[in-house]
Amino acid sequence: MSQKIGIIYSSIDGQTKKICEKLHAFFNNQQIKSELYAIDNFNRDISEFNPLILGASIRYGKHNKRVYDFVQNNITSLNKVTTAFFSVNLVARKEDKNSTATNPYLIKFLKQTPWKPDLLEVFAGKLDYKSYPILDRIMIKLIMKLTHGPTNSDLPIEFTNWNKVNNFGLRISNTLKAQ
Ligand SMILES: Cc1cc2nc3c(=O)[nH]c(=O)nc-3n(C[C@H](O)[C@H](O)[C@H](O)COP(=O)(O)O)c2cc1C
């Protein structure tokens, strides 16, 4: 069995990528080999990696279509290695929506795909009004208003809990010892 970790991200504004880079650095520090890929550039054989991690962000209630396609196209290979999946969204900034049992997007994703990742996690993402095109800005402000979040900030607000990211890295590296 391979002992190289594969990390794949589906990220639009870069926060999921940043989380994956932190995981990459975490494994590096532990002298564990890992490789990082944008989902669009992943051209390797899944069997080269064990475990394989996939992280994806939410936009308007959904993970990117490429994530569903990736799972659909690779389900047989995914079932043969240890796998981890995490979702990044802003709903997860709320205490009562930030676990695998309570985050609606993660729950929905697991219902929609045949994949049963061995490890799951949810991370809160980043809110950056200034970087959004006007229509997106209006929509996100509306969503934030409805969910009692910040509706006005010139500076980006990063809700990601980096300790939680490190703990996820640790859980993943522990699966290597178990192999
Ligand atoms: C256009 C847009 C739509 C979004 N829709 C949702 C949403 O429906 N639910 C949610 O919890 N977060 C939503 N978010 C927040 C993103 O999931 C969050 O900003 C995350 O950090 C983005 O990750 P990425 O930079 O890897 O793409 C949205 C963000 C944008 C810009």
Side-chain angles (χ1 to χ4, degrees), residues 9-19 55-62 87-93 103-105 123-128 131-133 135-137 139-140 143-144 157 159-160:
Y9 57 85
S10 160
S11 180
I12 298 193
D13 294 323
Q15 194 65 9
T16 309
K17 180 180 181 205
K18 186 171 172 183
I19 293 169
S57 66
I58 286 287
R59 243 176 148 81
Y60 295 127
K62 290 191 183 114
S87 177
V88 180
N89 53 77
L90 279 178
V91 160
R93 77 188 187 283
N103 187 262
Y105 304 119
F123 299 114
K126 185 167 111 175
L127 179 64
D128 185 5
S131 75
Y132 305 148
L135 278 181
D136 284 339
R137 198 180 309 164
M139 286 303 291
I140 304 298
I143 295 170
M144 282 296 140
I157 307 172
F159 291 99
T160 313

mmCIF file of all heavy atoms in Angstrom, residues 9-19 55-62 87-93 103-105 123-128 131-133 135-137 139-140 143-144 157 159-160, ligand 1:
data_model
loop_
_atom_site.group_PDB
_atom_site.id
_atom_site.type_symbol
_atom_site.label_atom_id
_atom_site.label_comp_id
_atom_site.label_asym_id
_atom_site.label_seq_id
_atom_site.Cartn_x
_atom_site.Cartn_y
_atom_site.Cartn_z
ATOM 1 N N TYR A 9 -8.161 19.793 -3.994
ATOM 2 C CA TYR A 9 -9.097 20.835 -3.576
ATOM 3 C C TYR A 9 -9.946 21.363 -4.723
ATOM 4 O O TYR A 9 -9.500 21.466 -5.856
ATOM 5 C CB TYR A 9 -8.369 22.011 -2.892
ATOM 6 C CG TYR A 9 -7.306 22.660 -3.743
ATOM 7 C CD1 TYR A 9 -7.626 23.658 -4.655
ATOM 8 C CD2 TYR A 9 -5.977 22.269 -3.623
ATOM 9 C CE1 TYR A 9 -6.644 24.258 -5.440
ATOM 10 C CE2 TYR A 9 -4.989 22.862 -4.398
ATOM 11 C CZ TYR A 9 -5.333 23.846 -5.301
ATOM 12 O OH TYR A 9 -4.357 24.421 -6.068
ATOM 13 N N SER A 10 -11.181 21.679 -4.362
ATOM 14 C CA SER A 10 -12.079 22.414 -5.250
ATOM 15 C C SER A 10 -12.347 23.737 -4.549
ATOM 16 O O SER A 10 -13.028 23.778 -3.527
ATOM 17 C CB SER A 10 -13.369 21.613 -5.435
ATOM 18 O OG SER A 10 -14.405 22.456 -5.895
ATOM 19 N N SER A 11 -11.752 24.819 -5.076
ATOM 20 C CA SER A 11 -11.765 26.105 -4.389
ATOM 21 C C SER A 11 -11.986 27.213 -5.397
ATOM 22 O O SER A 11 -11.372 27.199 -6.470
ATOM 23 C CB SER A 11 -10.408 26.294 -3.698
ATOM 24 O OG SER A 11 -10.333 27.499 -3.010
ATOM 25 N N ILE A 12 -12.836 28.163 -5.087
ATOM 26 C CA ILE A 12 -13.045 29.272 -6.035
ATOM 27 C C ILE A 12 -12.288 30.513 -5.581
ATOM 28 O O ILE A 12 -11.536 31.108 -6.340
ATOM 29 C CB ILE A 12 -14.542 29.530 -6.245
ATOM 30 C CG1 ILE A 12 -15.147 28.264 -6.850
ATOM 31 C CG2 ILE A 12 -14.749 30.767 -7.148
ATOM 32 C CD1 ILE A 12 -16.503 28.362 -7.418
ATOM 33 N N ASP A 13 -12.434 30.878 -4.319
ATOM 34 C CA ASP A 13 -11.772 32.094 -3.829
ATOM 35 C C ASP A 13 -10.497 31.797 -3.047
ATOM 36 O O ASP A 13 -9.898 32.712 -2.472
ATOM 37 C CB ASP A 13 -12.744 32.913 -2.971
ATOM 38 C CG ASP A 13 -13.901 33.443 -3.808
ATOM 39 O OD1 ASP A 13 -13.659 33.808 -4.973
ATOM 40 O OD2 ASP A 13 -15.043 33.472 -3.319
ATOM 41 N N GLY A 14 -10.109 30.543 -2.954
ATOM 42 C CA GLY A 14 -8.806 30.216 -2.383
ATOM 43 C C GLY A 14 -8.776 29.716 -0.943
ATOM 44 O O GLY A 14 -7.735 29.283 -0.468
ATOM 45 N N GLN A 15 -9.922 29.756 -0.232
ATOM 46 C CA GLN A 15 -9.855 29.363 1.181
ATOM 47 C C GLN A 15 -9.673 27.848 1.351
ATOM 48 O O GLN A 15 -8.907 27.392 2.198
ATOM 49 C CB GLN A 15 -11.107 29.854 1.937
ATOM 50 C CG GLN A 15 -10.993 29.789 3.457
ATOM 51 C CD GLN A 15 -9.921 30.721 4.022
ATOM 52 O OE1 GLN A 15 -9.358 31.562 3.309
ATOM 53 N NE2 GLN A 15 -9.627 30.581 5.296
ATOM 54 N N THR A 16 -10.358 27.081 0.531
ATOM 55 C CA THR A 16 -10.206 25.612 0.599
ATOM 56 C C THR A 16 -8.779 25.232 0.194
ATOM 57 O O THR A 16 -8.160 24.343 0.795
ATOM 58 C CB THR A 16 -11.237 24.924 -0.325
ATOM 59 O OG1 THR A 16 -12.518 25.465 -0.022
ATOM 60 C CG2 THR A 16 -11.250 23.429 -0.150
ATOM 61 N N LYS A 17 -8.264 25.962 -0.791
ATOM 62 C CA LYS A 17 -6.872 25.740 -1.206
ATOM 63 C C LYS A 17 -5.937 26.030 -0.025
ATOM 64 O O LYS A 17 -5.012 25.264 0.253
ATOM 65 C CB LYS A 17 -6.547 26.654 -2.390
ATOM 66 C CG LYS A 17 -5.148 26.501 -2.903
ATOM 67 C CD LYS A 17 -4.891 27.420 -4.068
ATOM 68 C CE LYS A 17 -3.465 27.210 -4.562
ATOM 69 N NZ LYS A 17 -2.949 28.385 -5.230
ATOM 70 N N LYS A 18 -6.211 27.138 0.689
ATOM 71 C CA LYS A 18 -5.358 27.514 1.823
ATOM 72 C C LYS A 18 -5.400 26.426 2.908
ATOM 73 O O LYS A 18 -4.365 26.082 3.498
ATOM 74 C CB LYS A 18 -5.845 28.859 2.387
ATOM 75 C CG LYS A 18 -4.962 29.434 3.458
ATOM 76 C CD LYS A 18 -5.392 30.867 3.787
ATOM 77 C CE LYS A 18 -4.634 31.384 5.003
ATOM 78 N NZ LYS A 18 -5.088 32.736 5.390
ATOM 79 N N ILE A 19 -6.584 25.875 3.155
ATOM 80 C CA ILE A 19 -6.710 24.795 4.150
ATOM 81 C C ILE A 19 -5.882 23.580 3.693
ATOM 82 O O ILE A 19 -5.163 22.966 4.482
ATOM 83 C CB ILE A 19 -8.204 24.430 4.369
ATOM 84 C CG1 ILE A 19 -8.933 25.605 5.039
ATOM 85 C CG2 ILE A 19 -8.352 23.144 5.194
ATOM 86 C CD1 ILE A 19 -10.437 25.491 5.069
ATOM 87 N N GLY A 55 -11.121 18.223 -0.518
ATOM 88 C CA GLY A 55 -11.765 19.355 0.161
ATOM 89 C C GLY A 55 -12.498 20.197 -0.861
ATOM 90 O O GLY A 55 -11.980 20.429 -1.958
ATOM 91 N N ALA A 56 -13.703 20.655 -0.516
ATOM 92 C CA ALA A 56 -14.499 21.421 -1.484
ATOM 93 C C ALA A 56 -15.309 22.504 -0.793
ATOM 94 O O ALA A 56 -15.842 22.297 0.295
ATOM 95 C CB ALA A 56 -15.435 20.466 -2.236
ATOM 96 N N SER A 57 -15.397 23.658 -1.465
ATOM 97 C CA SER A 57 -16.162 24.765 -0.875
ATOM 98 C C SER A 57 -17.591 24.801 -1.408
ATOM 99 O O SER A 57 -17.904 24.199 -2.445
ATOM 100 C CB SER A 57 -15.466 26.093 -1.159
ATOM 101 O OG SER A 57 -15.479 26.371 -2.541
ATOM 102 N N ILE A 58 -18.399 25.531 -0.677
ATOM 103 C CA ILE A 58 -19.816 25.690 -1.034
ATOM 104 C C ILE A 58 -20.049 27.046 -1.676
ATOM 105 O O ILE A 58 -19.518 28.060 -1.239
ATOM 106 C CB ILE A 58 -20.696 25.572 0.239
ATOM 107 C CG1 ILE A 58 -20.792 24.126 0.713
ATOM 108 C CG2 ILE A 58 -22.082 26.153 0.024
ATOM 109 C CD1 ILE A 58 -21.671 23.226 -0.143
ATOM 110 N N ARG A 59 -20.815 27.042 -2.736
ATOM 111 C CA ARG A 59 -21.288 28.271 -3.384
ATOM 112 C C ARG A 59 -22.759 28.087 -3.669
ATOM 113 O O ARG A 59 -23.141 27.142 -4.331
ATOM 114 C CB ARG A 59 -20.535 28.464 -4.700
ATOM 115 C CG ARG A 59 -19.704 29.729 -4.706
ATOM 116 C CD ARG A 59 -18.937 29.796 -5.989
ATOM 117 N NE ARG A 59 -18.758 31.172 -6.391
ATOM 118 C CZ ARG A 59 -17.824 31.966 -5.904
ATOM 119 N NH1 ARG A 59 -16.999 31.531 -4.986
ATOM 120 N NH2 ARG A 59 -17.723 33.204 -6.343
ATOM 121 N N TYR A 60 -23.535 29.002 -3.145
ATOM 122 C CA TYR A 60 -24.988 28.926 -3.307
ATOM 123 C C TYR A 60 -25.530 27.513 -3.044
ATOM 124 O O TYR A 60 -26.206 26.914 -3.873
ATOM 125 C CB TYR A 60 -25.413 29.438 -4.680
ATOM 126 C CG TYR A 60 -25.119 30.915 -4.849
ATOM 127 C CD1 TYR A 60 -24.400 31.393 -5.925
ATOM 128 C CD2 TYR A 60 -25.552 31.821 -3.886
ATOM 129 C CE1 TYR A 60 -24.112 32.752 -6.061
ATOM 130 C CE2 TYR A 60 -25.270 33.179 -4.003
ATOM 131 C CZ TYR A 60 -24.551 33.634 -5.082
ATOM 132 O OH TYR A 60 -24.268 34.969 -5.204
ATOM 133 N N GLY A 61 -25.146 27.010 -1.895
ATOM 134 C CA GLY A 61 -25.727 25.749 -1.429
ATOM 135 C C GLY A 61 -25.117 24.470 -1.981
ATOM 136 O O GLY A 61 -25.529 23.377 -1.597
ATOM 137 N N LYS A 62 -24.153 24.599 -2.904
ATOM 138 C CA LYS A 62 -23.633 23.368 -3.535
ATOM 139 C C LYS A 62 -22.119 23.333 -3.593
ATOM 140 O O LYS A 62 -21.477 24.367 -3.753
ATOM 141 C CB LYS A 62 -24.142 23.291 -4.989
ATOM 142 C CG LYS A 62 -25.609 23.013 -5.104
ATOM 143 C CD LYS A 62 -25.938 22.692 -6.561
ATOM 144 C CE LYS A 62 -27.424 22.471 -6.743
ATOM 145 N NZ LYS A 62 -28.064 23.487 -7.570
ATOM 146 N N SER A 87 -15.822 19.802 3.842
ATOM 147 C CA SER A 87 -16.565 20.877 3.190
ATOM 148 C C SER A 87 -16.218 22.203 3.860
ATOM 149 O O SER A 87 -16.015 22.265 5.070
ATOM 150 C CB SER A 87 -18.071 20.600 3.324
ATOM 151 O OG SER A 87 -18.810 21.669 2.769
ATOM 152 N N VAL A 88 -16.127 23.261 3.042
ATOM 153 C CA VAL A 88 -15.832 24.605 3.556
ATOM 154 C C VAL A 88 -17.013 25.510 3.214
ATOM 155 O O VAL A 88 -17.407 25.593 2.053
ATOM 156 C CB VAL A 88 -14.541 25.159 2.905
ATOM 157 C CG1 VAL A 88 -14.222 26.556 3.430
ATOM 158 C CG2 VAL A 88 -13.375 24.216 3.146
ATOM 159 N N ASN A 89 -17.578 26.128 4.225
ATOM 160 C CA ASN A 89 -18.726 27.011 3.994
ATOM 161 C C ASN A 89 -18.863 28.007 5.141
ATOM 162 O O ASN A 89 -18.190 27.877 6.168
ATOM 163 C CB ASN A 89 -19.993 26.176 3.797
ATOM 164 C CG ASN A 89 -20.228 25.179 4.913
ATOM 165 O OD1 ASN A 89 -20.677 25.546 5.998
ATOM 166 N ND2 ASN A 89 -19.869 23.912 4.678
ATOM 167 N N LEU A 90 -19.737 28.969 4.950
ATOM 168 C CA LEU A 90 -19.873 30.014 5.973
ATOM 169 C C LEU A 90 -20.899 29.683 7.050
ATOM 170 O O LEU A 90 -20.847 30.214 8.155
ATOM 171 C CB LEU A 90 -20.212 31.361 5.319
ATOM 172 C CG LEU A 90 -18.995 32.101 4.752
ATOM 173 C CD1 LEU A 90 -19.420 33.397 4.078
ATOM 174 C CD2 LEU A 90 -17.969 32.403 5.851
ATOM 175 N N VAL A 91 -21.821 28.792 6.714
ATOM 176 C CA VAL A 91 -22.778 28.338 7.726
ATOM 177 C C VAL A 91 -22.023 27.703 8.900
ATOM 178 O O VAL A 91 -22.431 27.823 10.062
ATOM 179 C CB VAL A 91 -23.787 27.347 7.071
ATOM 180 C CG1 VAL A 91 -24.470 26.475 8.102
ATOM 181 C CG2 VAL A 91 -24.831 28.111 6.266
ATOM 182 N N ALA A 92 -20.882 27.068 8.574
ATOM 183 C CA ALA A 92 -20.080 26.375 9.598
ATOM 184 C C ALA A 92 -19.427 27.327 10.597
ATOM 185 O O ALA A 92 -18.787 26.891 11.552
ATOM 186 C CB ALA A 92 -19.017 25.500 8.928
ATOM 187 N N ARG A 93 -19.590 28.643 10.396
ATOM 188 C CA ARG A 93 -19.071 29.579 11.413
ATOM 189 C C ARG A 93 -19.917 29.477 12.688
ATOM 190 O O ARG A 93 -19.515 29.926 13.746
ATOM 191 C CB ARG A 93 -19.078 31.017 10.877
ATOM 192 C CG ARG A 93 -20.449 31.650 10.879
ATOM 193 C CD ARG A 93 -20.504 32.993 10.180
ATOM 194 N NE ARG A 93 -21.812 33.620 10.351
ATOM 195 C CZ ARG A 93 -22.898 33.275 9.698
ATOM 196 N NH1 ARG A 93 -22.846 32.298 8.786
ATOM 197 N NH2 ARG A 93 -24.047 33.871 9.928
ATOM 198 N N ASN A 103 -23.707 20.002 10.003
ATOM 199 C CA ASN A 103 -23.560 20.909 8.855
ATOM 200 C C ASN A 103 -24.441 20.429 7.692
ATOM 201 O O ASN A 103 -24.244 19.330 7.167
ATOM 202 C CB ASN A 103 -22.092 21.000 8.426
ATOM 203 C CG ASN A 103 -21.907 22.062 7.351
ATOM 204 O OD1 ASN A 103 -21.860 21.763 6.165
ATOM 205 N ND2 ASN A 103 -21.817 23.322 7.766
ATOM 206 N N PRO A 104 -25.396 21.243 7.277
ATOM 207 C CA PRO A 104 -26.367 20.778 6.276
ATOM 208 C C PRO A 104 -25.739 20.404 4.938
ATOM 209 O O PRO A 104 -26.212 19.476 4.270
ATOM 210 C CB PRO A 104 -27.317 21.969 6.109
ATOM 211 C CG PRO A 104 -26.617 23.149 6.695
ATOM 212 C CD PRO A 104 -25.671 22.624 7.726
ATOM 213 N N TYR A 105 -24.661 21.111 4.548
ATOM 214 C CA TYR A 105 -24.045 20.831 3.236
ATOM 215 C C TYR A 105 -23.313 19.491 3.231
ATOM 216 O O TYR A 105 -23.354 18.757 2.245
ATOM 217 C CB TYR A 105 -23.086 21.951 2.838
ATOM 218 C CG TYR A 105 -23.741 23.295 2.824
ATOM 219 C CD1 TYR A 105 -23.299 24.320 3.656
ATOM 220 C CD2 TYR A 105 -24.829 23.543 1.991
ATOM 221 C CE1 TYR A 105 -23.911 25.560 3.644
ATOM 222 C CE2 TYR A 105 -25.445 24.781 1.985
ATOM 223 C CZ TYR A 105 -24.989 25.782 2.812
ATOM 224 O OH TYR A 105 -25.595 27.002 2.806
ATOM 225 N N PHE A 123 -15.208 22.852 7.796
ATOM 226 C CA PHE A 123 -14.501 24.045 8.235
ATOM 227 C C PHE A 123 -15.260 25.296 7.805
ATOM 228 O O PHE A 123 -15.822 25.345 6.694
ATOM 229 C CB PHE A 123 -13.091 24.110 7.624
ATOM 230 C CG PHE A 123 -12.213 22.954 8.014
ATOM 231 C CD1 PHE A 123 -11.798 22.031 7.060
ATOM 232 C CD2 PHE A 123 -11.826 22.776 9.342
ATOM 233 C CE1 PHE A 123 -10.993 20.954 7.418
ATOM 234 C CE2 PHE A 123 -11.022 21.707 9.704
ATOM 235 C CZ PHE A 123 -10.610 20.792 8.746
ATOM 236 N N ALA A 124 -15.242 26.281 8.695
ATOM 237 C CA ALA A 124 -15.810 27.569 8.319
ATOM 238 C C ALA A 124 -14.848 28.247 7.342
ATOM 239 O O ALA A 124 -13.631 28.088 7.450
ATOM 240 C CB ALA A 124 -16.004 28.423 9.561
ATOM 241 N N GLY A 125 -15.403 28.988 6.382
ATOM 242 C CA GLY A 125 -14.581 29.607 5.352
ATOM 243 C C GLY A 125 -14.276 31.063 5.632
ATOM 244 O O GLY A 125 -14.163 31.482 6.787
ATOM 245 N N LYS A 126 -14.155 31.813 4.552
ATOM 246 C CA LYS A 126 -13.774 33.223 4.655
ATOM 247 C C LYS A 126 -14.852 34.098 4.002
ATOM 248 O O LYS A 126 -15.450 33.718 2.997
ATOM 249 C CB LYS A 126 -12.442 33.417 3.924
ATOM 250 C CG LYS A 126 -11.883 34.808 4.049
ATOM 251 C CD LYS A 126 -10.439 34.826 3.583
ATOM 252 C CE LYS A 126 -10.281 35.590 2.308
ATOM 253 N NZ LYS A 126 -8.892 35.727 1.894
ATOM 254 N N LEU A 127 -15.065 35.243 4.619
ATOM 255 C CA LEU A 127 -16.028 36.213 4.093
ATOM 256 C C LEU A 127 -15.240 37.441 3.664
ATOM 257 O O LEU A 127 -14.515 38.021 4.467
ATOM 258 C CB LEU A 127 -17.008 36.569 5.216
ATOM 259 C CG LEU A 127 -18.104 37.589 4.941
ATOM 260 C CD1 LEU A 127 -19.066 37.082 3.881
ATOM 261 C CD2 LEU A 127 -18.877 37.877 6.243
ATOM 262 N N ASP A 128 -15.373 37.807 2.376
ATOM 263 C CA ASP A 128 -14.562 38.927 1.889
ATOM 264 C C ASP A 128 -15.397 39.761 0.909
ATOM 265 O O ASP A 128 -15.229 39.667 -0.315
ATOM 266 C CB ASP A 128 -13.298 38.367 1.220
ATOM 267 C CG ASP A 128 -12.335 39.464 0.803
ATOM 268 O OD1 ASP A 128 -12.599 40.643 1.112
ATOM 269 O OD2 ASP A 128 -11.326 39.143 0.162
ATOM 270 N N SER A 131 -14.089 41.498 -2.279
ATOM 271 C CA SER A 131 -13.613 40.731 -3.444
ATOM 272 C C SER A 131 -14.775 40.203 -4.297
ATOM 273 O O SER A 131 -14.548 39.668 -5.382
ATOM 274 C CB SER A 131 -12.744 39.568 -2.972
ATOM 275 O OG SER A 131 -13.563 38.547 -2.431
ATOM 276 N N TYR A 132 -16.032 40.354 -3.813
ATOM 277 C CA TYR A 132 -17.147 39.768 -4.563
ATOM 278 C C TYR A 132 -17.704 40.743 -5.591
ATOM 279 O O TYR A 132 -17.866 41.926 -5.310
ATOM 280 C CB TYR A 132 -18.303 39.369 -3.616
ATOM 281 C CG TYR A 132 -17.913 38.436 -2.495
ATOM 282 C CD1 TYR A 132 -18.563 38.498 -1.266
ATOM 283 C CD2 TYR A 132 -16.914 37.477 -2.658
ATOM 284 C CE1 TYR A 132 -18.225 37.646 -0.217
ATOM 285 C CE2 TYR A 132 -16.568 36.635 -1.626
ATOM 286 C CZ TYR A 132 -17.216 36.719 -0.414
ATOM 287 O OH TYR A 132 -16.871 35.884 0.609
ATOM 288 N N PRO A 133 -18.066 40.241 -6.766
ATOM 289 C CA PRO A 133 -18.795 41.077 -7.721
ATOM 290 C C PRO A 133 -20.117 41.531 -7.074
ATOM 291 O O PRO A 133 -20.624 40.855 -6.168
ATOM 292 C CB PRO A 133 -19.070 40.135 -8.898
ATOM 293 C CG PRO A 133 -18.176 38.966 -8.702
ATOM 294 C CD PRO A 133 -17.839 38.881 -7.256
ATOM 295 N N LEU A 135 -23.355 41.528 -7.538
ATOM 296 C CA LEU A 135 -24.532 40.671 -7.311
ATOM 297 C C LEU A 135 -24.265 39.645 -6.207
ATOM 298 O O LEU A 135 -25.111 39.409 -5.343
ATOM 299 C CB LEU A 135 -24.937 39.959 -8.599
ATOM 300 C CG LEU A 135 -25.795 40.786 -9.554
ATOM 301 C CD1 LEU A 135 -26.160 39.968 -10.782
ATOM 302 C CD2 LEU A 135 -27.074 41.297 -8.869
ATOM 303 N N ASP A 136 -23.065 39.069 -6.250
ATOM 304 C CA ASP A 136 -22.679 38.114 -5.206
ATOM 305 C C ASP A 136 -22.650 38.819 -3.851
ATOM 306 O O ASP A 136 -23.100 38.273 -2.846
ATOM 307 C CB ASP A 136 -21.305 37.503 -5.491
ATOM 308 C CG ASP A 136 -21.368 36.455 -6.594
ATOM 309 O OD1 ASP A 136 -22.463 35.932 -6.850
ATOM 310 O OD2 ASP A 136 -20.317 36.159 -7.194
ATOM 311 N N ARG A 137 -22.130 40.056 -3.855
ATOM 312 C CA ARG A 137 -22.029 40.799 -2.596
ATOM 313 C C ARG A 137 -23.424 41.001 -1.983
ATOM 314 O O ARG A 137 -23.639 40.790 -0.799
ATOM 315 C CB ARG A 137 -21.359 42.151 -2.857
ATOM 316 C CG ARG A 137 -20.832 42.786 -1.588
ATOM 317 C CD ARG A 137 -20.166 44.111 -1.862
ATOM 318 N NE ARG A 137 -19.164 44.059 -2.924
ATOM 319 C CZ ARG A 137 -18.674 45.117 -3.537
ATOM 320 N NH1 ARG A 137 -19.101 46.319 -3.232
ATOM 321 N NH2 ARG A 137 -17.761 44.984 -4.474
ATOM 322 N N MET A 139 -26.097 39.212 -2.560
ATOM 323 C CA MET A 139 -26.642 37.905 -2.141
ATOM 324 C C MET A 139 -26.048 37.440 -0.810
ATOM 325 O O MET A 139 -26.761 36.977 0.078
ATOM 326 C CB MET A 139 -26.362 36.839 -3.215
ATOM 327 C CG MET A 139 -27.199 36.949 -4.452
ATOM 328 S SD MET A 139 -28.954 36.890 -4.108
ATOM 329 C CE MET A 139 -29.151 35.192 -3.590
ATOM 330 N N ILE A 140 -24.724 37.588 -0.689
ATOM 331 C CA ILE A 140 -24.072 37.119 0.550
ATOM 332 C C ILE A 140 -24.511 37.992 1.729
ATOM 333 O O ILE A 140 -24.751 37.488 2.827
ATOM 334 C CB ILE A 140 -22.520 37.130 0.416
ATOM 335 C CG1 ILE A 140 -22.081 36.300 -0.789
ATOM 336 C CG2 ILE A 140 -21.859 36.590 1.680
ATOM 337 C CD1 ILE A 140 -22.416 34.851 -0.769
ATOM 338 N N ILE A 143 -27.818 36.690 2.750
ATOM 339 C CA ILE A 143 -27.686 35.420 3.490
ATOM 340 C C ILE A 143 -27.172 35.704 4.911
ATOM 341 O O ILE A 143 -27.668 35.149 5.895
ATOM 342 C CB ILE A 143 -26.726 34.436 2.750
ATOM 343 C CG1 ILE A 143 -27.317 34.013 1.400
ATOM 344 C CG2 ILE A 143 -26.449 33.191 3.611
ATOM 345 C CD1 ILE A 143 -26.347 33.243 0.483
ATOM 346 N N MET A 144 -26.190 36.616 5.011
ATOM 347 C CA MET A 144 -25.626 36.938 6.331
ATOM 348 C C MET A 144 -26.667 37.607 7.226
ATOM 349 O O MET A 144 -26.737 37.346 8.420
ATOM 350 C CB MET A 144 -24.411 37.869 6.164
ATOM 351 C CG MET A 144 -23.183 37.130 5.740
ATOM 352 S SD MET A 144 -22.683 35.951 7.012
ATOM 353 C CE MET A 144 -22.211 34.597 6.008
ATOM 354 N N ILE A 157 -12.968 38.525 6.628
ATOM 355 C CA ILE A 157 -13.110 37.859 7.930
ATOM 356 C C ILE A 157 -12.891 36.368 7.712
ATOM 357 O O ILE A 157 -13.629 35.722 6.967
ATOM 358 C CB ILE A 157 -14.507 38.081 8.554
ATOM 359 C CG1 ILE A 157 -14.840 39.577 8.603
ATOM 360 C CG2 ILE A 157 -14.577 37.472 9.958
ATOM 361 C CD1 ILE A 157 -16.273 39.878 9.032
ATOM 362 N N PHE A 159 -13.083 32.844 9.150
ATOM 363 C CA PHE A 159 -13.706 32.100 10.247
ATOM 364 C C PHE A 159 -13.043 30.750 10.479
ATOM 365 O O PHE A 159 -13.375 30.040 11.421
ATOM 366 C CB PHE A 159 -15.201 31.864 9.940
ATOM 367 C CG PHE A 159 -16.041 33.109 9.967
ATOM 368 C CD1 PHE A 159 -16.379 33.755 8.790
ATOM 369 C CD2 PHE A 159 -16.502 33.636 11.170
ATOM 370 C CE1 PHE A 159 -17.165 34.909 8.803
ATOM 371 C CE2 PHE A 159 -17.286 34.784 11.194
ATOM 372 C CZ PHE A 159 -17.621 35.422 10.007
ATOM 373 N N THR A 160 -12.147 30.366 9.593
ATOM 374 C CA THR A 160 -11.517 29.033 9.681
ATOM 375 C C THR A 160 -10.772 28.855 11.009
ATOM 376 O O THR A 160 -9.991 29.714 11.399
ATOM 377 C CB THR A 160 -10.531 28.831 8.512
ATOM 378 O OG1 THR A 160 -11.166 29.236 7.300
ATOM 379 C CG2 THR A 160 -10.083 27.380 8.407
HETATM 380 C C1 LIG B 1 -20.965 33.614 -4.444
HETATM 381 C C2 LIG B 1 -20.820 32.902 -3.125
HETATM 382 C C3 LIG B 1 -21.825 32.056 -2.688
HETATM 383 C C4 LIG B 1 -21.704 31.406 -1.445
HETATM 384 N N1 LIG B 1 -22.725 30.593 -1.018
HETATM 385 C C5 LIG B 1 -22.651 30.042 0.218
HETATM 386 C C6 LIG B 1 -23.722 29.274 0.732
HETATM 387 O O1 LIG B 1 -24.731 29.040 0.069
HETATM 388 N N2 LIG B 1 -23.609 28.763 1.982
HETATM 389 C C7 LIG B 1 -22.494 28.982 2.761
HETATM 390 O O2 LIG B 1 -22.466 28.512 3.907
HETATM 391 N N3 LIG B 1 -21.437 29.685 2.294
HETATM 392 C C8 LIG B 1 -21.503 30.225 1.057
HETATM 393 N N4 LIG B 1 -20.457 30.969 0.572
HETATM 394 C C9 LIG B 1 -19.247 31.107 1.386
HETATM 395 C C10 LIG B 1 -18.091 30.254 0.892
HETATM 396 O O3 LIG B 1 -18.364 28.892 1.044
HETATM 397 C C11 LIG B 1 -16.832 30.652 1.678
HETATM 398 O O4 LIG B 1 -16.520 31.987 1.330
HETATM 399 C C12 LIG B 1 -15.627 29.766 1.439
HETATM 400 O O5 LIG B 1 -14.547 30.245 2.196
HETATM 401 C C13 LIG B 1 -15.262 29.726 -0.028
HETATM 402 O O6 LIG B 1 -14.216 28.794 -0.199
HETATM 403 P P1 LIG B 1 -13.226 28.893 -1.464
HETATM 404 O O7 LIG B 1 -12.480 30.190 -1.295
HETATM 405 O O8 LIG B 1 -12.345 27.720 -1.335
HETATM 406 O O9 LIG B 1 -14.063 28.865 -2.695
HETATM 407 C C14 LIG B 1 -20.548 31.611 -0.646
HETATM 408 C C15 LIG B 1 -19.526 32.478 -1.112
HETATM 409 C C16 LIG B 1 -19.667 33.112 -2.334
HETATM 410 C C17 LIG B 1 -18.567 34.041 -2.795
#
